[in-house]
Amino acid sequence: MSPGVEALLEQARSGLHRLTPHETVEAVRGGALLVDIRTDRHRREQGDLPGAIVIDRTVLEWRLDPASPWRIPEATGYDREIVVVCRHGYSSSLAAASLQALGLRRATDMIGGVQDWITAGLPLSDGPADVRP
């Protein structure tokens, strides 16, 4: 029998040093890569985060693996700090754990997702999103 998605989420989060929205802002100021994995619809509803790179969840590992021929230019090494964000902070935990399993040991996610970012009163982007196919 399956342990269930809650157990999977708990296991994923056990290896992460998750960040609050304010800690995420500081991490980005310090050079962390902010990666938004929300759907287009959710980004339209909630808005875009300043400085975030939008990568579809289905290709996340290929875009961020420094050894992948399909990586983005910002995927410079396995030591790069990466903060993954989603709508509420659930799928981002699973994605960050997957990145850690890939060798990106400093991958993590943001607690509460973009919803907590908005609740914290942090700014949204007024420019076009940096969407990476």
Side-chain angles (χ1 to χ4, degrees), residues 32-126:
L33 186 63
L34 183 60
V35 177
D36 188 342
I37 61 169
R38 291 176 299 151
T39 64
D40 291 339
R41 183 181 129 229
H42 289 150
R43 289 186 12 258
R44 279 192 306 275
E45 290 172 0
Q46 290 182 303
D48 289 307
L49 300 182
I53 295 173
V54 178
I55 300 176
D56 190 273
R57 176 64 190 98
T58 61
V59 296
L60 184 69
E61 290 82 358
W62 286 268
R63 299 298 180 261
L64 295 178
D65 181 357
S68 169
W70 301 284
R71 72 186 174 278
I72 61 172
E74 293 85 356
T76 55
Y78 291 100
D79 226 21
R80 180 83 196 254
E81 184 176 11
I82 298 169
V83 182
V84 183
V85 298
C86 67
R87 189 172 186 199
H88 292 290
Y90 296 99
S91 60
S92 59
S93 294
L94 298 175
S98 178
L99 293 175
Q100 282 191 355
L102 186 64
L104 294 159
R105 64 177 188 80
R106 295 181 67 203
T108 192
D109 77 321
M110 185 173 72
I111 299 166
V114 175
Q115 190 58 51
D116 277 12
W117 178 283
I118 293 167
T119 301
L122 293 169
L124 296 170
S125 177
D126 56 1

Side-chain angles (χ1 to χ4, degrees), residues 11-34:
Q11 179 184 16
R13 287 179 172 169
S14 71
L16 302 175
H17 173 74
R18 302 181 75 218
L19 304 178
T20 67
H22 287 285
E23 290 170 333
T24 298
V25 169
E26 290 306 312
V28 171
R29 283 187 185 141
L33 186 63
L34 183 60

